[in-house]
Amino acid sequence: MTPADDLRFPEALAAALSLPFDYDDGDGVDFEPFPAFLSAEETTDWFRSWTGNAELTGDSFRVFGRDGTGGYAAFWLVRPDRPLVDQPVVFLGSEGETGVVARDLGAFLWLLAGGYGPWEAATSYEPDWTPRRNQELTAVAERFAAAHRQPASTVVEQATGEFPHFDDTVMELCR
């Protein structure tokens, strides 16, 4: 696993997050990538604030972006002894929304290519919203995760199926 003090993104994530995400007045993807992972201290501060639990650390998350309201996208470090790219990607929204949106980085790349951001994959607040495939992100997914190709809906279905208790796990930490 990538040490917590290394704030650089894995190459595949850096390639995807270097591309623009167009919110398009609510018709696009609401995602603002960070230039690097949040530090361990910033992640701990955020997670304590988000949960209201001052006893926690943010050691289980590597935060790499947010939506416009301040919800965070992160790797959830739940698979012991596995590299960062094999950890699930989660969304923790500013209003308490939670969701596992991809089983690993390869699946996350296909989620992005399918026109979804972490918020769109984790929530269903906009029933009329329609994803728009992104050719540049498709090229990134093909370059780094060709063997993982799948529709965005399958990415989310597999992730939520593998981690059905994520919301309960996180809510138990809240005060």
Side-chain angles (χ1 to χ4, degrees), residues 1 13-14 16 37 41 50 55 57-58 69 94-95 104 113 122 128 130 146 149 154 161:
M1 182 128 24
L13 184 63
F37 288 114
E41 295 81 18
W50 195 88
E55 298 173 12
T57 69
T69 67
S94 64
E95 301 300 319
D104 56 28
D128 296 333
T130 303
R149 183 181 206 117
T154 302

PDB file of all heavy atoms in Angstrom, residues 1 13-14 16 37 41 50 55 57-58 69 94-95 104 113 122 128 130 146 149 154 161:
ATOM      1  N   MET A   1       0.842  -1.171   0.000  1.00  0.00           N
ATOM      2  CA  MET A   1       0.000   0.000   0.000  1.00  0.00           C
ATOM      3  C   MET A   1       0.890   1.237   0.000  1.00  0.00           C
ATOM      4  O   MET A   1       1.945   1.252   0.602  1.00  0.00           O
ATOM      5  CB  MET A   1      -0.894  -0.029   1.220  1.00  0.00           C
ATOM      6  CG  MET A   1      -1.828   1.112   1.275  1.00  0.00           C
ATOM      7  SD  MET A   1      -3.545   0.709   1.496  1.00  0.00           S
ATOM      8  CE  MET A   1      -3.580  -0.852   2.249  1.00  0.00           C
ATOM      9  N   LEU A  13      -4.632   7.138 -11.903  1.00  0.00           N
ATOM     10  CA  LEU A  13      -5.515   8.134 -11.294  1.00  0.00           C
ATOM     11  C   LEU A  13      -5.081   9.538 -11.698  1.00  0.00           C
ATOM     12  O   LEU A  13      -5.918  10.381 -12.037  1.00  0.00           O
ATOM     13  CB  LEU A  13      -5.527   7.991  -9.773  1.00  0.00           C
ATOM     14  CG  LEU A  13      -6.490   8.919  -9.028  1.00  0.00           C
ATOM     15  CD1 LEU A  13      -7.939   8.625  -9.411  1.00  0.00           C
ATOM     16  CD2 LEU A  13      -6.295   8.780  -7.521  1.00  0.00           C
ATOM     17  N   ALA A  14      -3.782   9.793 -11.704  1.00  0.00           N
ATOM     18  CA  ALA A  14      -3.277  11.106 -12.112  1.00  0.00           C
ATOM     19  C   ALA A  14      -3.687  11.416 -13.550  1.00  0.00           C
ATOM     20  O   ALA A  14      -4.096  12.547 -13.851  1.00  0.00           O
ATOM     21  CB  ALA A  14      -1.757  11.150 -11.969  1.00  0.00           C
ATOM     22  N   ALA A  16      -6.327  10.291 -15.198  1.00  0.00           N
ATOM     23  CA  ALA A  16      -7.769  10.560 -15.252  1.00  0.00           C
ATOM     24  C   ALA A  16      -8.102  11.920 -14.646  1.00  0.00           C
ATOM     25  O   ALA A  16      -8.900  12.682 -15.201  1.00  0.00           O
ATOM     26  CB  ALA A  16      -8.542   9.452 -14.533  1.00  0.00           C
ATOM     27  N   PHE A  37      -3.258  13.684  -3.019  1.00  0.00           N
ATOM     28  CA  PHE A  37      -4.043  13.218  -1.879  1.00  0.00           C
ATOM     29  C   PHE A  37      -3.972  14.236  -0.750  1.00  0.00           C
ATOM     30  O   PHE A  37      -2.956  14.901  -0.564  1.00  0.00           O
ATOM     31  CB  PHE A  37      -3.498  11.884  -1.353  1.00  0.00           C
ATOM     32  CG  PHE A  37      -3.770  10.707  -2.232  1.00  0.00           C
ATOM     33  CD1 PHE A  37      -2.730  10.037  -2.854  1.00  0.00           C
ATOM     34  CD2 PHE A  37      -5.064  10.258  -2.434  1.00  0.00           C
ATOM     35  CE1 PHE A  37      -2.973   8.944  -3.660  1.00  0.00           C
ATOM     36  CE2 PHE A  37      -5.315   9.161  -3.240  1.00  0.00           C
ATOM     37  CZ  PHE A  37      -4.262   8.495  -3.856  1.00  0.00           C
ATOM     38  N   GLU A  41      -3.040  14.443   8.135  1.00  0.00           N
ATOM     39  CA  GLU A  41      -3.614  15.387   9.095  1.00  0.00           C
ATOM     40  C   GLU A  41      -4.913  15.998   8.571  1.00  0.00           C
ATOM     41  O   GLU A  41      -5.897  16.110   9.302  1.00  0.00           O
ATOM     42  CB  GLU A  41      -2.611  16.508   9.416  1.00  0.00           C
ATOM     43  CG  GLU A  41      -1.362  16.045  10.119  1.00  0.00           C
ATOM     44  CD  GLU A  41      -0.316  15.444   9.160  1.00  0.00           C
ATOM     45  OE1 GLU A  41      -0.379  15.675   7.924  1.00  0.00           O
ATOM     46  OE2 GLU A  41       0.550  14.714   9.653  1.00  0.00           O
ATOM     47  N   TRP A  50     -16.562  15.249   9.928  1.00  0.00           N
ATOM     48  CA  TRP A  50     -17.649  14.595   9.208  1.00  0.00           C
ATOM     49  C   TRP A  50     -18.444  13.660  10.124  1.00  0.00           C
ATOM     50  O   TRP A  50     -19.664  13.592  10.059  1.00  0.00           O
ATOM     51  CB  TRP A  50     -17.095  13.825   8.002  1.00  0.00           C
ATOM     52  CG  TRP A  50     -18.124  13.417   7.002  1.00  0.00           C
ATOM     53  CD1 TRP A  50     -18.576  14.147   5.945  1.00  0.00           C
ATOM     54  CD2 TRP A  50     -18.825  12.175   6.956  1.00  0.00           C
ATOM     55  NE1 TRP A  50     -19.519  13.428   5.235  1.00  0.00           N
ATOM     56  CE2 TRP A  50     -19.693  12.218   5.845  1.00  0.00           C
ATOM     57  CE3 TRP A  50     -18.815  11.025   7.742  1.00  0.00           C
ATOM     58  CZ2 TRP A  50     -20.529  11.168   5.496  1.00  0.00           C
ATOM     59  CZ3 TRP A  50     -19.657   9.969   7.386  1.00  0.00           C
ATOM     60  CH2 TRP A  50     -20.499  10.057   6.283  1.00  0.00           C
ATOM     61  N   GLU A  55     -12.299  10.927  18.337  1.00  0.00           N
ATOM     62  CA  GLU A  55     -11.395   9.815  18.643  1.00  0.00           C
ATOM     63  C   GLU A  55     -10.854   9.130  17.394  1.00  0.00           C
ATOM     64  O   GLU A  55      -9.927   8.322  17.488  1.00  0.00           O
ATOM     65  CB  GLU A  55     -12.119   8.794  19.509  1.00  0.00           C
ATOM     66  CG  GLU A  55     -12.560   9.351  20.850  1.00  0.00           C
ATOM     67  CD  GLU A  55     -13.426   8.380  21.622  1.00  0.00           C
ATOM     68  OE1 GLU A  55     -13.505   7.194  21.247  1.00  0.00           O
ATOM     69  OE2 GLU A  55     -14.036   8.828  22.603  1.00  0.00           O
ATOM     70  N   THR A  57      -9.190   8.611  13.475  1.00  0.00           N
ATOM     71  CA  THR A  57      -8.203   9.153  12.547  1.00  0.00           C
ATOM     72  C   THR A  57      -8.765   8.929  11.144  1.00  0.00           C
ATOM     73  O   THR A  57      -9.746   8.205  10.967  1.00  0.00           O
ATOM     74  CB  THR A  57      -6.847   8.426  12.646  1.00  0.00           C
ATOM     75  OG1 THR A  57      -6.991   7.099  12.137  1.00  0.00           O
ATOM     76  CG2 THR A  57      -6.325   8.415  14.071  1.00  0.00           C
ATOM     77  N   GLY A  58      -8.135   9.511  10.173  1.00  0.00           N
ATOM     78  CA  GLY A  58      -8.544   9.307   8.787  1.00  0.00           C
ATOM     79  C   GLY A  58      -7.701   8.259   8.090  1.00  0.00           C
ATOM     80  O   GLY A  58      -7.673   8.195   6.862  1.00  0.00           O
ATOM     81  N   THR A  69     -20.387  20.448  -3.164  1.00  0.00           N
ATOM     82  CA  THR A  69     -20.892  20.738  -1.825  1.00  0.00           C
ATOM     83  C   THR A  69     -19.894  20.385  -0.737  1.00  0.00           C
ATOM     84  O   THR A  69     -20.143  20.643   0.434  1.00  0.00           O
ATOM     85  CB  THR A  69     -22.209  19.976  -1.545  1.00  0.00           C
ATOM     86  OG1 THR A  69     -21.931  18.575  -1.486  1.00  0.00           O
ATOM     87  CG2 THR A  69     -23.254  20.262  -2.606  1.00  0.00           C
ATOM     88  N   SER A  94     -21.453  15.598   1.815  1.00  0.00           N
ATOM     89  CA  SER A  94     -21.553  16.658   2.812  1.00  0.00           C
ATOM     90  C   SER A  94     -22.825  16.574   3.640  1.00  0.00           C
ATOM     91  O   SER A  94     -22.901  17.137   4.727  1.00  0.00           O
ATOM     92  CB  SER A  94     -21.471  18.024   2.126  1.00  0.00           C
ATOM     93  OG  SER A  94     -22.582  18.199   1.263  1.00  0.00           O
ATOM     94  N   GLU A  95     -23.823  15.882   3.138  1.00  0.00           N
ATOM     95  CA  GLU A  95     -25.092  15.733   3.860  1.00  0.00           C
ATOM     96  C   GLU A  95     -25.253  14.320   4.427  1.00  0.00           C
ATOM     97  O   GLU A  95     -26.367  13.888   4.703  1.00  0.00           O
ATOM     98  CB  GLU A  95     -26.261  16.056   2.926  1.00  0.00           C
ATOM     99  CG  GLU A  95     -26.212  17.466   2.359  1.00  0.00           C
ATOM    100  CD  GLU A  95     -26.248  18.529   3.444  1.00  0.00           C
ATOM    101  OE1 GLU A  95     -27.013  18.384   4.407  1.00  0.00           O
ATOM    102  OE2 GLU A  95     -25.484  19.513   3.318  1.00  0.00           O
ATOM    103  N   ASP A 104     -12.247  -0.927  -7.239  1.00  0.00           N
ATOM    104  CA  ASP A 104     -10.817  -0.636  -7.295  1.00  0.00           C
ATOM    105  C   ASP A 104     -10.591   0.473  -8.313  1.00  0.00           C
ATOM    106  O   ASP A 104     -11.550   0.970  -8.920  1.00  0.00           O
ATOM    107  CB  ASP A 104     -10.009  -1.890  -7.645  1.00  0.00           C
ATOM    108  CG  ASP A 104     -10.439  -2.551  -8.945  1.00  0.00           C
ATOM    109  OD1 ASP A 104     -10.959  -1.875  -9.864  1.00  0.00           O
ATOM    110  OD2 ASP A 104     -10.246  -3.775  -9.072  1.00  0.00           O
ATOM    111  N   ALA A 113     -15.277   7.039 -17.198  1.00  0.00           N
ATOM    112  CA  ALA A 113     -15.442   6.973 -18.657  1.00  0.00           C
ATOM    113  C   ALA A 113     -16.924   6.903 -19.033  1.00  0.00           C
ATOM    114  O   ALA A 113     -17.336   7.444 -20.067  1.00  0.00           O
ATOM    115  CB  ALA A 113     -14.700   5.760 -19.212  1.00  0.00           C
ATOM    116  N   ALA A 122     -22.996   7.559  -6.282  1.00  0.00           N
ATOM    117  CA  ALA A 122     -23.417   7.230  -4.918  1.00  0.00           C
ATOM    118  C   ALA A 122     -24.820   7.691  -4.577  1.00  0.00           C
ATOM    119  O   ALA A 122     -25.403   7.234  -3.603  1.00  0.00           O
ATOM    120  CB  ALA A 122     -22.436   7.835  -3.915  1.00  0.00           C
ATOM    121  N   ASP A 128     -33.611  12.775 -13.375  1.00  0.00           N
ATOM    122  CA  ASP A 128     -33.610  13.103 -14.804  1.00  0.00           C
ATOM    123  C   ASP A 128     -32.209  13.260 -15.381  1.00  0.00           C
ATOM    124  O   ASP A 128     -32.063  13.499 -16.577  1.00  0.00           O
ATOM    125  CB  ASP A 128     -34.406  14.392 -15.055  1.00  0.00           C
ATOM    126  CG  ASP A 128     -35.871  14.228 -14.701  1.00  0.00           C
ATOM    127  OD1 ASP A 128     -36.374  13.088 -14.766  1.00  0.00           O
ATOM    128  OD2 ASP A 128     -36.506  15.232 -14.334  1.00  0.00           O
ATOM    129  N   THR A 130     -28.757  12.343 -16.952  1.00  0.00           N
ATOM    130  CA  THR A 130     -28.305  11.284 -17.851  1.00  0.00           C
ATOM    131  C   THR A 130     -26.791  11.383 -18.003  1.00  0.00           C
ATOM    132  O   THR A 130     -26.272  12.446 -18.362  1.00  0.00           O
ATOM    133  CB  THR A 130     -28.964  11.436 -19.243  1.00  0.00           C
ATOM    134  OG1 THR A 130     -30.379  11.413 -19.073  1.00  0.00           O
ATOM    135  CG2 THR A 130     -28.533  10.321 -20.168  1.00  0.00           C
ATOM    136  N   ALA A 146      -7.823  -1.820 -19.410  1.00  0.00           N
ATOM    137  CA  ALA A 146      -8.571  -2.415 -20.524  1.00  0.00           C
ATOM    138  C   ALA A 146      -9.269  -3.720 -20.127  1.00  0.00           C
ATOM    139  O   ALA A 146     -10.395  -3.982 -20.554  1.00  0.00           O
ATOM    140  CB  ALA A 146      -7.638  -2.652 -21.719  1.00  0.00           C
ATOM    141  N   ARG A 149     -12.920  -3.439 -18.437  1.00  0.00           N
ATOM    142  CA  ARG A 149     -13.971  -2.698 -19.142  1.00  0.00           C
ATOM    143  C   ARG A 149     -15.355  -3.220 -18.752  1.00  0.00           C
ATOM    144  O   ARG A 149     -15.612  -4.419 -18.797  1.00  0.00           O
ATOM    145  CB  ARG A 149     -13.782  -2.816 -20.647  1.00  0.00           C
ATOM    146  CG  ARG A 149     -14.794  -2.016 -21.401  1.00  0.00           C
ATOM    147  CD  ARG A 149     -14.627  -2.158 -22.917  1.00  0.00           C
ATOM    148  NE  ARG A 149     -15.160  -0.971 -23.523  1.00  0.00           N
ATOM    149  CZ  ARG A 149     -14.476  -0.102 -24.232  1.00  0.00           C
ATOM    150  NH1 ARG A 149     -13.207  -0.306 -24.472  1.00  0.00           N
ATOM    151  NH2 ARG A 149     -15.052   0.962 -24.722  1.00  0.00           N
ATOM    152  N   THR A 154     -22.634  -1.390 -13.961  1.00  0.00           N
ATOM    153  CA  THR A 154     -22.059  -2.636 -13.440  1.00  0.00           C
ATOM    154  C   THR A 154     -20.988  -2.338 -12.402  1.00  0.00           C
ATOM    155  O   THR A 154     -20.888  -3.041 -11.396  1.00  0.00           O
ATOM    156  CB  THR A 154     -21.480  -3.481 -14.593  1.00  0.00           C
ATOM    157  OG1 THR A 154     -22.524  -3.753 -15.531  1.00  0.00           O
ATOM    158  CG2 THR A 154     -20.886  -4.785 -14.092  1.00  0.00           C
ATOM    159  N   GLY A 161     -22.460  -4.385  -4.114  1.00  0.00           N
ATOM    160  CA  GLY A 161     -22.666  -5.791  -3.786  1.00  0.00           C
ATOM    161  C   GLY A 161     -21.557  -6.361  -2.923  1.00  0.00           C
ATOM    162  O   GLY A 161     -21.804  -7.191  -2.041  1.00  0.00           O
TER     163      GLY A 161
END
